[in-house]
Amino acid sequence: VAAVLATEPRVHVGKGDTLFLIARRLDQGPEGETPHGISWLDGVKAARFQAHRRPAPFPLSWTKTLIEEFWSYVAGTPLDDLSFGRVNSAAFMRAVSPWLNEDWRYLDFGAGDGFLVELLLRNGFSVAALEPAEERRKILNERLMGLPGYLGSVDNVENCAPFDCVIATEVIEHVSDDMLAGFLDAIWNALAPGGRLLLTTPHHERLEQSSLYSPVSGAVFHRWQHVQSWSADRLAAVLILTAFSQRE
């Protein structure tokens, strides 16, 4: 490796995900001018000028339209490979298998990329997918329509028949406080009497650790559009006090 680094101007190191570059300094001209005719000091001044012009940061307000556009963009990109459904759907199935019944009708609430829906279908379950982002619904239907047990995709629960089980994996952290009661009511309305909700969400997530800043607009937002952080106690309290309280 040392011999390669000594003779090659640039090489990949390790598995190829790090680029190692060796460069030689060129002599500067009069008054610090580089061979390309740009003063090093002028470059520093330009960088500082641009830094002072950056837009002031502000928290992004996630409207319904922005959310749909965000997830429609993500659909079919390499970002989908990092989704919960892609990475953890098999582990989720193993964890919840004691509470599943092959005779039930299932609704994946916020199906996203559809990897969990596909896994359920391939294990003999009947599943519908609720997904508000239009581009994602198209991809879901194109990939899953031919599989036995697929009940199709919808963008709301108003016209859905009741389901025996609603699955909401990594969804509630995307729901703002003002939308939370409606979100839980929608899940309640999608369930048949005595139906079961299976829900997952990140535990005690520190949202600020995944915040991004847009140098174009100044918007600050969570890279996965999360707006809530949940603990076990808070989640239980909210379920009791909202859509699932005092219901038979």
Side-chain angles (χ1 to χ4, degrees):
V1 175
V4 171
L5 293 178
T7 57
E8 296 292 332
R10 58 184 69 86
V11 294
H12 284 287
V13 178
K15 297 180 180 179
D17 54 1
T18 299
L19 184 65
F20 191 101
L21 170 67
I22 298 176
R24 181 172 60 86
R25 192 197 78 174
L26 298 176
D27 290 339
Q28 295 180 338
E31 300 182 357
E33 190 178 86
T34 67
H36 301 290
I38 301 174
S39 167
W40 174 84
L41 184 58
D42 288 340
V44 172
K45 289 179 179 178
R48 287 178 178 173
F49 178 72
Q50 291 298 327
H52 287 307
R53 294 187 61 185
R54 69 179 183 269
F58 66 92
L60 180 65
S61 178
W62 286 101
T63 64
K64 180 181 179 183
T65 299
L66 278 179
I67 292 171
E68 291 185 7
E69 289 179 354
F70 179 85
W71 290 108
S72 290
Y73 167 78
V74 169
T77 71
L79 291 174
D80 263 348
D81 293 336
L82 303 176
S83 69
F84 180 90
R86 169 71 91 176
V87 177
N88 294 309
S89 57
F92 174 80
M93 284 286 293
R94 290 193 298 270
V96 302
S97 59
W99 293 277
L100 302 181
N101 187 314
E102 290 186 359
D103 296 327
W104 287 354
R105 287 164 46 91
Y106 293 83
L107 174 67
D108 190 351
F109 199 103
D113 45 43
F115 293 116
L116 180 57
V117 175
E118 182 175 359
L119 185 59
L120 285 162
L121 292 171
R122 295 192 183 281
N123 279 273
F125 298 99
S126 297
V127 192
L130 186 148
E131 175 52 51
E134 181 178 1
E135 289 303 316
R136 286 197 149 191
R137 289 198 305 276
K138 291 179 181 179
I139 293 174
L140 281 167
N141 290 331
E142 288 172 0
R143 195 168 87 244
L144 303 177
M145 193 59 76
L147 294 180
Y150 183 53
L151 304 176
S153 68
V154 294
D155 61 352
N156 61 72
V157 298
E158 292 180 1
N159 299 318
C160 290
F163 293 88
D164 301 290
C165 182
V166 168
I167 298 174
T169 57
E170 314 300 288
V171 178
I172 196 171
E173 65 273 13
H174 299 271
V175 182
S176 59
D177 282 332
D178 60 322
M179 301 293 290
L180 190 56
F183 168 77
L184 293 173
D185 272 332
I187 291 178
W188 179 270
N189 292 329
L191 283 169
R196 179 169 290 143
L197 167 63
L198 301 177
L199 183 149
T200 73
T201 187
H203 182 223
H204 277 307
E205 181 184 13
R206 297 182 62 180
L207 299 178
E208 67 277 4
Q209 291 184 339
S210 294
S211 291
L212 299 176
Y213 165 79
S214 169
V216 176
S217 66
V220 177
F221 57 97
H222 190 283
R223 62 177 180 168
W224 288 111
Q225 196 262 307
H226 294 182
V227 296
Q228 296 267 14
S229 180
W230 292 93
S231 67
D233 290 341
R234 182 183 176 224
L235 188 59
V238 166
L239 288 172
I240 291 171
L241 292 173
T242 56
F244 289 80
S245 66
Q246 307 301 318
R247 303 286 181 94
E248 297 296 335

